Amino acid sequence: MDETMNETARTPPFAPFEWLLSGRYLRARRKEGFISVIAGFSFLGIMLGVATLIIVMAVMNGFRKELLDKILGLNGHLLVQPLESPLTDWKDVAERISQVDGIRLAAPVVDGQALASSAFNAAGVLVRGMRSADLNNLTSIAKNIKQGTMEGFDEGQGVIIGRRLADQLSLHAGDTITLVAPKGAVTPMGTTPRIKPYKVAAVFEIGMSEYDASFVFMPLPESQAYFNRKDDVTAIEVFTTNPDRIDAFRKSVTEAAGRPVFLVDWRQRNSTFFNALQVERNVMFLILTMIVLVAALNIVSGLIMLVKDKGQDIAILRTMGASQGSIMRIFLITGAAIGVVGTLTGFFVGMLICLNIESIRQFLSWMTNTELFSPELYFLSRLPAEIDFGETTAVVIMALTLSFLATLYPSWRAARLDPVDALRYE
């Protein structure tokens, strides 16, 4: 008896026979076919849960990154607005701000609303007056000209419009667009609307439908005359080298302005939008985690049924000298194998889909003959996916942890099984 106990005590953890028995329990047999079915569903649940979590998190990250790039590519990271008096000294203020370390561009702008029309249609637009040099430094515009050219933008009477606006008004580069502003010349009969035709010098497409459909860029001197601004501008758009460090630039920009100004950063201008994205992202993570949790609970139920079915086998193993630890490890390996294989398969499936998500979207759209990703609804012209390896690692670790925890109770029950009782009732 002592020799048997010593032999048992010397049994190494995760011995070959433990792996062998775990493998046999995982393979389908007629008697425990139902248990294998439960194991299969557990595997599928964990695989789909992990893959879906990775895909959804990547798409949400892609949305945020793409939208941030589009929004900050066109609008400044910091908006400098005048206080107390109009911004008539905008040239000096912009020059001083541009000298601040970390400031990439300080662009004076004149913003105003107008009605854009052609012989075919009309649409409300936001007219933005900018200097040609500043517009050339906006890579989101300068590098996305689809028709025409930006050469001589300051000299002529031309404007630059978005691709969707051009399509809506049936216009091309070289055509004429008519802009109608509500406040024009002041006459004895009152203020009359200002109606003026402009040549379409170029057409841009940045990929964000809201901007492509509503922005019209005009030379700064012309916009000042068109909107009755005289010698002042609406604001100065400041672009930094790192928008995430915008707080560090506030004090230096205020000091460089040299006059009373009011600063609004990109987070304040888009706080509602990005907060909604963050809330949606967190909620989706919690909801999809439930898929992995349900799959883990399936592992618990499957292992409990397996332990009940293998009661006699456990008793015989115990009488042959197997320790409680060995029995527990056998069922730990059985349950953990489902979780590990399911998690790794889900990881590879999720990564594969993320890397080819736009091609998959186009294929599904072609198959179903429907538009699965409307640019008007989602603001972007393509489905983005940005894989965050930290988040992906956290998803994999979470799935593995849940799978391992799910095996503890059934394995503990198997190890605590009394051999005498098991053999008596068999």
Side-chain angles (χ1 to χ4, degrees):
M1 184 68 177
D2 289 342
E3 289 181 7
T4 304
M5 290 178 66
N6 291 335
E7 192 94 12
T8 302
R10 288 196 299 271
T11 302
F14 298 106
F17 87 93
E18 296 172 5
W19 291 94
L20 177 66
L21 285 173
S22 298
R24 286 180 64 89
Y25 288 162
L26 282 170
R27 289 194 292 271
R29 303 168 69 93
R30 275 186 300 177
K31 188 177 179 183
E32 57 268 3
F34 183 66
I35 297 171
S36 297
V37 168
I38 293 176
F41 278 118
S42 302
F43 165 79
L44 286 174
I46 289 174
M47 182 197 74
L48 291 174
V50 170
T52 306
L53 260 174
I54 291 173
I55 295 167
V56 169
M57 291 295 103
V59 170
M60 296 296 287
N61 287 335
F63 263 118
R64 188 182 186 280
K65 183 178 182 300
E66 287 288 324
L67 288 171
L68 195 60
D69 289 345
K70 305 296 184 190
I71 291 171
L72 299 188
L74 196 59
N75 295 309
H77 306 160
L78 200 60
L79 185 68
V80 180
Q81 296 175 309
L83 279 178
E84 298 179 2
S85 61
L87 205 55
T88 53
D89 54 342
W90 54 269
K91 287 184 181 178
D92 296 331
V93 174
E95 180 64 28
R96 289 195 297 268
I97 292 175
S98 63
Q99 301 299 320
V100 175
D101 187 33
I103 300 300
R104 185 166 54 86
L105 175 65
V109 297
V110 171
D111 285 337
Q113 293 181 332
L115 177 70
S117 64
S118 67
F120 307 97
N121 210 341
V125 295
L126 175 66
V127 179
R128 173 163 291 180
M130 291 187 72
R131 295 179 297 189
S132 178
D134 295 335
L135 198 56
N136 278 312
N137 284 325
L138 281 184
T139 54
S140 59
I141 299 296
K143 292 188 176 180
N144 289 292
I145 299 296
K146 302 302 179 183
Q147 296 177 22
T149 178
M150 293 175 59
E151 292 181 8
F153 176 69
D154 268 343
E155 301 162 8
Q157 294 282 304
V159 295
I160 300 173
I161 67 175
R163 179 66 174 271
R164 289 191 170 274
L165 179 62
D167 292 343
Q168 188 176 351
L169 302 182
S170 300
L171 295 174
H172 299 86
D175 293 343
T176 299
I177 184 174
T178 302
L179 295 179
V180 182
K183 293 183 179 180
V186 179
T187 68
M189 302 298 292
T191 303
T192 60
R194 174 160 287 151
I195 304 173
K196 191 170 182 179
Y198 290 95
K199 178 185 175 182
V200 177
V203 177
F204 69 88
E205 183 179 19
I206 64 173
M208 188 168 179
S209 61
E210 187 179 7
Y211 290 166
D212 290 339
S214 61
F215 265 85
V216 173
F217 288 94
M218 182 184 289
L220 184 62
E222 178 62 25
S223 64
Q224 287 175 316
Y226 186 76
F227 289 110
N228 298 325
R229 299 297 303 194
K230 295 184 180 178
D231 295 327
D232 70 319
V233 297
T234 307
I236 297 175
E237 297 272 6
V238 179
F239 295 82
T240 67
T241 53
N242 187 354
D244 290 325
R245 295 183 58 250
I246 197 66
D247 289 330
F249 295 106
R250 275 181 166 273
K251 184 179 179 182
S252 53
V253 168
T254 303
E255 292 174 352
R259 56 158 293 156
V261 291
F262 178 67
L263 304 183
V264 182
D265 63 48
W266 66 269
R267 296 169 305 184
Q268 295 168 318
R269 296 166 78 178
N270 305 282
S271 60
T272 303
F273 185 70
F274 284 108
N275 287 341
L277 272 183
Q278 186 64 33
V279 170
E280 184 180 358
R281 183 171 167 276
N282 293 339
V283 170
M284 289 298 292
F285 182 85
L286 290 174
I287 292 172
L288 294 172
T289 301
M290 296 301 156
I291 298 177
V292 182
L293 186 59
V294 169
L297 293 176
N298 282 340
I299 294 177
V300 175
S301 59
L303 282 180
I304 288 175
M305 293 179 66
L306 185 63
V307 169
K308 190 172 181 61
D309 185 67
K310 297 297 181 181
Q312 189 176 20
D313 294 6
I314 295 169
I316 292 171
L317 285 169
R318 290 296 310 281
T319 56
M320 291 176 64
S323 65
Q324 286 186 337
S326 292
I327 301 299
M328 189 170 184
R329 284 192 294 271
I330 289 170
F331 288 95
L332 276 175
I333 294 169
T334 304
I338 300 170
V340 171
V341 176
T343 299
L344 294 179
T345 306
F347 168 76
F348 287 116
V349 169
M351 294 292 285
L352 187 64
I353 292 175
C354 285
L355 294 173
N356 300 278
I357 196 161
E358 178 61 17
S359 301
I360 293 171
R361 181 196 70 82
Q362 293 176 1
F363 174 74
L364 292 176
S365 295
W366 174 77
M367 283 284 292
T368 59
N369 198 27
T370 56
E371 192 172 30
L372 298 179
F373 187 75
S374 173
E376 288 81 7
L377 184 61
Y378 296 101
F379 302 109
L380 302 176
S381 56
R382 56 180 290 276
L383 185 61
E386 181 77 14
I387 299 171
D388 186 316
F389 288 100
E391 278 186 353
T392 304
T393 303
V395 169
V396 170
I397 292 173
M398 179 199 68
L400 291 174
T401 303
L402 287 175
S403 302
F404 175 74
L405 292 176
T407 64
L408 291 179
Y409 176 69
S411 303
W412 177 78
R413 277 195 60 175
R416 296 278 295 174
L417 190 67
D418 189 350
V420 176
D421 291 340
L423 291 173
R424 181 183 300 164
Y425 292 111
E426 285 293 338

